[in-house]
Structure formats: structure tokens, C-alpha cells
Amino acid sequence: GNADYRDSGLDFPADFLFGSATASYQIEGAATEDGRGPSIWDTFSHTPGKVWNGDTGDVADDHYHRFDEDLDLMKSLGLEAYRFSIAWPRIQPTGRGEANEAGLAFYERLVDGLISRGIRPIATLYHWDLPQALEDEGGWTNRATAYAFADYARIVGERLGDRIEVWTTLNEPWCSAYLGYGSGAHAPGIMDGASALAAVHHLNLAHGLAITALQEVVTNDPGFSITLNLHVIRPVGESGAEAARRIDGLANRVFLGPLLHGEYPADVIEDTKDVTDWAFVHEGDTAIIKQPISVLGVNYYSTVTVQMWDGVSERVNADGHKDMGGSPWPGSRDVEFLAQDGPYTEMGWNIDPSGLEELLVSLHDEFPDLPLMVTENGAAFDDVLTQEADGPAVHDIDRTDYLRRHFTAAHRAMQRGVDLRGYQVWSLLDNFEWGYGYSKRFGIVRVDFDTLERLPKDSAKWYSELIRTRSLPETPAAY
Ligand code: GBH
């Protein structure tokens, strides 16, 4: 289902927000400056063997010092929105107590720089950089972290709550919980199913408490949201439906349930009863979690394909993450993740824009009154820097093609009735790609990690044209 997602000439509505996204630890650098405390990603990336090549976010794109230049770049590309995240340890170095003025001032300069250039700020409060001091007390397995998060949200809301367009509480709590505490592939690197599920709940709780805190302090009329990386699941064979139910429960419904329906799915609690008794869910918690949100953020990259292990045959890629030590799917050792049809990006993720159309349409069917925003979509490819007569260039036709196919898919979803408000391309800049360090490039703008120079790739020029004309431009065929 790929060849048919190559349309050009499709129009997007005048109020559709075209933008691009980044995250604090992935771009800022300046890890010890102006009072910033250490986060779990500083600890993790400085632990030998955790990140490719020993890479860290110490310098990253040095955006902390170059944000003005980056704002000019956004403006020159014509971005209408910019989705960034705020580093909690810049605001509260130990995750609690007094606000660090220098940290607040940095984000204030960034936001004012956006607004003065006519770019709408979409602020995420948590994109994985938990203050290390809170991790030392159990991190997301500790209920108190959810309450600390609400205090942090209030501090930021008090300062910036008159000028943010959309507030997002958490980015991809699936990753924070299951990769952070289950598989151990992300910070803090814990491998324990019960901890992962406790983290799921405390992240959900943190979201609800933070929305409540923000609503009390903001003075404009912003949107409130959370961003999820919902899984599009393709079942295979007779056992596929059961496997899909299990993975849908752990990946999707364990978040959507409490957030939007006000309860945890009973089948997920049953599926995981050998892992945890769910005693971390207290009376009244689901009511705290189910706060009204005005838009749901959707991050989409690829799909997964599953079946159940029959108990006899040799196991195929159980857990889908053999290389990681722990499992990101608590209680699901009997679910097998199958290889998927290509093409693939440099991450090894399959390219399937129909998954995005499907995901948006199914969310709209389940929650017809909830507007959606694509808060991340993009691709890592092996970029080649070439020297042309008029200077260096990156002809990243594969990334451009990926983006065009996915914008086409989003457009189709809109034609099918989905209320899609905007699209934030991941990512503005090549950056620190978590466990892969600087080995994977997602940017529409190249960053030279020695000189830190920025160079818009062809995909950035293509995207500028889309934003300028609000109509999908032609792209030469890549495959
Ligand atoms: C996002 O995470 C992050 O928000 C962002 O910071 C990051 O840089 C970006 O994407 C690129 O990675 O292993 O077959 O189950 C995305 C994380 C991507 C995790 C897809 C799960 C499923 C592939 N997700 N992945 S599979």
C-alpha cells in the first residue's frame, strides 16, 4: 500500500498549522550551563555501552547558544508552528523547589523569538529528560513524580501561560515507560515489566495533574494536549487478532482508556496480572487523568505486524526487540513481532503511509469531537552531502518522498472527515537520536556535528514550497 500515496496538487486548509518539531535534550547541548541540573539522559548517555559510539547530548546542536540563528532558519523556511520541548532540569535542577530563573528566561526568549517571527509555539513539558534527582527516588515508578510534574507545569505555566498556542504535557509516554523501565533501551535503563506498568500509570496521572495545574494559571486560551505514539498493528494468521488485541491494549488503550474514557481496559489488567497487581492505581486516579483536552497529538513513523507464538515452532523475534535485554511488552513473551514489507528507512522501520491514514481515521471514529494534530512524522536516511556549483547540498529525495506520501495520507484522512489541525515534521534539525546517538539523521536541515553549521536539505526546500502554496508539490520518484 505505498505506490498510491504519491499525489501532488492536493490543497490544505488555510488554518492548517505546518511546522516542525524538536526536543530539548536532542538539540540544546549546554548541559551544565545556567544552573541546569542533570537529567536521566545525561546519566544514561554517560554510561558506557548505552548509546551508540558513546555519544551524549552535552553539545548536540548547540541550539541553546544558537537559537536565534535557528529561529531565523525557521522563519526563512516559512514554518507556521514550532514544536519544542522544555527541559525540566533547566527549570528545576533537582525536579523540585524554586524555579531557576535562567532556565525560564531561556524559554521565554525562545517563545518571544517565535512570536515576533509569526511562528506559533507548541510547547511540550516532558520529552524524556527527567531530573536525575527524581529518578534517584524511583522516577516514574514513584507516584510522587506525578505530583512534582504538576508543580513544574505550574511554574512554567505561570511564566509562559499568556503566549503558548498549544501545551502538550508528555511526549510518547509509551517510550518513557516501556523503553525506560521495561526494555531498558532508554534512560533510566531499567528492565522490569512491573516498573514499566507503574510508570505508565504515573505518567497518565502526571498528565492529568499537569492539565489541571496549567488550566489554573494560563491567561490566554491555549490548546491542551498530550502526544502519543499509538501503534498501528497488522495481525497475521489465525492468532493475529489475539496478538493485536494484546499489543493494542499495552500500546494504545492503556493510555487512551484513562485519558479519554476515564478507565483502564480490563483486558490489559487481566493480561498483565502475573506481572503486577496494579495496586498503584488509587481510588479517584482515573478521574484525575481524564481531563478535557482540545487536541490529541499523534506521532507516526511505521507499523508493527504480530501473531501469537504457537508454543511449538521456533520463536520469531519475540518481543520485537531482541537486542534490548528487557522487554518493552510486559507479560507478552508469547506475542511474536514479524518482519514487515519494505521499503524501510535507515532505522529499519517500514514505510507505510496507509498506516497514518488508518490511525487518524480510527481515532476520529472513536473520538469524533477530538481534533487531531500530527506532532511528529519523518524519516532517517543515509544523507549524502554533495558539492554543487552554488555550494553544498543534500539531495534527500528519499526523505522528501517519505514526507510527501505521509502528507498525502493525512490529506486523505481529512477528506474522510478527520479534523486534523496541523502537521509537525520530525525533525527540524539532525540531532541526538537517543540510543543511536548522532548516527541517524532525521532533520530536514543538515547539521555538521563538527562545525555545527546548518544546511537546509532538499526536503526542507520541498516543505517550504508546500507551506507557501498549501498544496503538495511534485516530487521526482525515489524508488
Ligand atoms: C520519536 O520516537 C521521538 O519522539 C523522537 O524524540 C525521536 O527522535 C523520533 O521519534 C525518532 O525516533 O521497534 O518495530 O516497534 C519514536 C519512537 C518509533 C518507538 C517507532 C517505537 C516502533 C518500531 N518509536 N517504534 S518497532
Side-chain angles (χ1 to χ4, degrees), residues 22-23 26 83 127-128 171-172 174-175 179 186 227 229-231 299-305 317 319-321 323-324 328-329 337-338 340 347-350 375-380 426-427 431-434 436 440 442:
T22 62
Q26 294 182 273
R83 173 178 181 255
H127 200 128
W128 309 353
N171 176 71
E172 300 190 348
W174 183 91
C175 292
L179 301 181
H186 280 188
T227 280
N229 60 314
L230 298 168
H231 282 55
N299 289 358
Y300 177 81
Y301 291 91
S302 64
T303 63
V304 294
T305 300
N317 198 19
D319 298 329
H321 296 268
D323 52 326
M324 287 178 183
W329 303 107
F337 287 76
L338 306 181
Q340 313 197 72
M347 300 298 285
W349 301 343
N350 63 312
T375 39
E376 281 181 34
N377 172 251
W426 185 269
S427 181
N431 61 47
F432 176 78
E433 178 50 30
W434 306 114
Y436 297 88
K440 304 292 180 209
F442 274 89

Side-chain angles (χ1 to χ4, degrees), residues 29-82:
T32 56
E33 267 174 70
D34 288 348
R36 179 185 178 280
S39 83
I40 55 174
W41 270 97
D42 296 290
T43 307
F44 191 75
S45 66
H46 282 272
T47 305
K50 297 297 186 189
V51 173
W52 180 88
N53 192 41
D55 288 349
T56 75
D58 290 0
V59 177
D61 292 336
D62 195 34
H63 169 77
Y64 190 79
H65 298 118
R66 293 165 197 249
F67 75 94
D68 236 358
E69 175 195 338
D70 289 337
L71 287 165
D72 288 342
L73 183 62
M74 294 177 216
K75 171 85 182 160
S76 74
L77 296 176
L79 298 190
E80 299 170 329
Y82 175 55

